[in-house]
């Protein structure tokens, strides 16, 4: 069995994740991209089709990281990788602060400057991007992306596959549904139902998805 990690994705987000993996002592053997991907990503050779995943698994690789920004695509490719028998690793910056009482799933990216406070729960496949803060007792569902510089106050709940745009703020106790899009720079002060896009200060519904 091979201990190197296979990174699925070969774009800008993958670059950040490769550096996170390297910083925590992992080495990355291959990226798996698409026909339009570059030949290498931060020096890692790129295989240009998802079908390569099965061959890599047969070749003895058993760890994967899904470095795709789109929540739904990340979720789908993670299902494919786990079905093939890959284990999903986390990629957590040494410059992030993660409470020892926080509960982290697998396949998670936590970028530099992020803070995850006491008893927060971060589910599988989440991205906690650069400088985002998630305060005590928050519950973040599967495959959520918290973009750079967001601030979630205590006890905020975010449903699976939701996206919280760059620089957004959410006041304590707010519940956000599944597949919600919060526009960049929004301030969310009340609960938001599923499959809704909200924007502004305070955030108001832009459209239902
Ligand atoms: C919210 C968002 C998804 C809307 O995208 P969209 O559905 O394509 O909407 P449009 O760009 O057509 O804008 C529709 C209206 O909403 C307004 N709007 C869009 N985003 C807004 C925002 N973040 N805050 C306030 N108003 C916003 C537009 O000005 C426009 O208003 P108008 O109809 O009066 O002209 C997008 O603008 C956004 O904020 N994305 C977040 C990106 C991000 O944070 N990426 C981080 C990557 S790590």
């Amino acid at each position: 069995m091979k201990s190197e990690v296979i990174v699925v994705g070969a774009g800008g987000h993958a670059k950040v994740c490769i550096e996170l993996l390297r910083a925590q002592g992992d080495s990355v053997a291959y990226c798996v991209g698409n026909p339009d991907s570059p030949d290498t990503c931060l020096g890692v050779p790129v295989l240009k089709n998802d079908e390569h995943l099965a061959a890599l698994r047969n070749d003895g690789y058993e760890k994967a990281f899904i470095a795709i920004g789109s929540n739904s695509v990340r979720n789908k490719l993670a299902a494919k990788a786990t079905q093939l028998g890959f284990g999903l690793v986390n990629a957590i910056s040494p410059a992030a602060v993660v409470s020892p009482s926080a509960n982290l799933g697998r396949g998670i990216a936590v970028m530099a400057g992020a803070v995850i406070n006491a008893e927060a729960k971060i589910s599988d496949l989440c991205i906690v991007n650069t400088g985002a803060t998630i305060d005590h007792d928050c519950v973040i569902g599967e495959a959520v992306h918290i973009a750079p510089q967001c601030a979630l106050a205590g006890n905020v709940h975010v449903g699976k596959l939701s996206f919280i745009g760059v620089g957004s703020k959410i006041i304590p106790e707010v519940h956000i549904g599944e597949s919600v899009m919060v526009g960049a720079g929004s301030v969310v002060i009340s609960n938001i139902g599923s499959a809704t896009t909200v924007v502004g200060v305070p955030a108001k519904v832009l459209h239902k998805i």
Side-chain angles (χ1 to χ4, degrees), residues 73-144:
V73 177
R74 186 166 71 259
N75 208 26
K76 234 180 267 173
L77 288 171
K80 182 169 182 165
T82 45
Q83 208 169 29
L84 288 168
F86 282 100
L88 299 179
V89 297
N90 287 342
I92 299 181
S93 170
V97 178
V98 179
S99 160
S101 64
N103 176 346
L104 302 193
R106 49 201 187 104
I108 291 169
V110 182
M111 276 56 168
V115 177
I116 299 173
N117 264 338
E119 295 200 333
K121 175 178 164 59
I122 313 292
S123 303
D124 295 348
L125 299 170
C126 282
I127 301 169
V128 182
N129 220 316
T130 312
T133 62
I134 298 184
D135 227 293
H136 63 88
D137 301 302
C138 283
V139 179
I140 312 299
E142 272 174 42
V144 165

Side-chain angles (χ1 to χ4, degrees), residues 29-103:
Y30 293 100
C31 289
V32 176
N34 59 46
D36 299 330
S37 297
D39 294 337
T40 61
C41 181
L42 283 188
V44 178
V46 177
L47 304 170
K48 300 189 182 186
N49 190 320
D50 298 346
E51 302 312 317
H52 285 285
L53 269 177
L56 290 165
R57 184 69 194 98
N58 287 337
D59 204 21
Y61 292 98
E62 49 187 6
K63 295 182 189 170
F65 186 85
I66 315 299
I68 304 275
S70 157
N71 293 339
S72 55
V73 177
R74 186 166 71 259
N75 208 26
K76 234 180 267 173
L77 288 171
K80 182 169 182 165
T82 45
Q83 208 169 29
L84 288 168
F86 282 100
L88 299 179
V89 297
N90 287 342
I92 299 181
S93 170
V97 178
V98 179
S99 160
S101 64
N103 176 346

Side-chain angles (χ1 to χ4, degrees), residues 129 145 147-148 163 165-166 181-186 197-200 206-207:
N129 220 316
H145 182 171
F163 173 82
V166 62
M181 172 84 79
V182 174
S186 300
T197 299
V198 299
V199 296
L206 179 63
H207 46 66

